[in-house]
Amino acid sequence: QVQLVESGGGLVQAGGSLRLSCAASGRTFSTYAMGWFRQAPGKEREFVAVLSGSGGFTYYADSVKGRFTISRDNAKNTVYLQMNSLKPEDTAVYSCVAARFYNTIVVRGGDYWGQGTQVTVSS
């Protein structure tokens, strides 16, 4: 079992930045691929980014490519999402996910999900 707890959401003006964190339980964190999804009100859940266990592979949704960066610190059991040049359309609940394989996350999401953290970008 992996438990995930997100933090770092909030209200920011367009063009601003936020860094989300996701703390994971367990001693096998480095064996899991980690990712982020988001869901805006009235919209379907959307893949944002994924990172392999070693950190050597990353993949981003086109909508965030060049603005968001996913990273991890395996010593701290934490994955991050640095979000720059934020836009109002980035407003959503952002959830951290974990899975054994990164393609699992890209295709269907994670085996484990956090509760999510709200990000609101004002225009």
Side-chain angles (χ1 to χ4, degrees), residues 15-86:
S17 298
L18 279 176
R19 189 177 80 155
L20 305 183
S21 299
C22 173
S25 64
R27 294 178 290 180
T28 60
F29 177 72
S30 63
T31 66
Y32 284 87
M34 301 296 296
W36 291 91
F37 278 72
R38 67 185 182 185
Q39 187 166 22
K43 294 188 176 181
E44 292 188 355
R45 190 168 59 198
E46 175 189 20
F47 165 80
V48 175
V50 66
L51 177 66
S52 63
S54 66
F57 174 83
T58 58
Y59 180 71
Y60 297 91
D62 288 342
S63 58
V64 306
K65 199 173 297 181
R67 299 188 297 122
F68 290 12
T69 302
I70 188 171
S71 62
R72 67 192 297 159
D73 185 338
N74 286 341
K76 295 182 178 180
N77 278 21
T78 302
V79 63
Y80 305 98
L81 186 68
Q82 178 66 44
M83 306 185 294
N84 299 328
S85 302
L86 283 161

Side-chain angles (χ1 to χ4, degrees), residues 70-121:
I70 188 171
S71 62
R72 67 192 297 159
D73 185 338
N74 286 341
K76 295 182 178 180
N77 278 21
T78 302
V79 63
Y80 305 98
L81 186 68
Q82 178 66 44
M83 306 185 294
N84 299 328
S85 302
L86 283 161
K87 305 175 182 179
E89 51 264 43
D90 294 319
T91 294
V93 174
Y94 284 71
S95 297
C96 175
V97 301
R100 285 296 187 185
F101 305 104
Y102 61 77
N103 57 345
T104 298
I105 291 176
V106 175
V107 171
R108 65 169 179 81
D111 296 324
Y112 303 98
W113 291 78
Q115 292 297 310
T117 185
Q118 176 71 47
V119 171
T120 303
V121 184

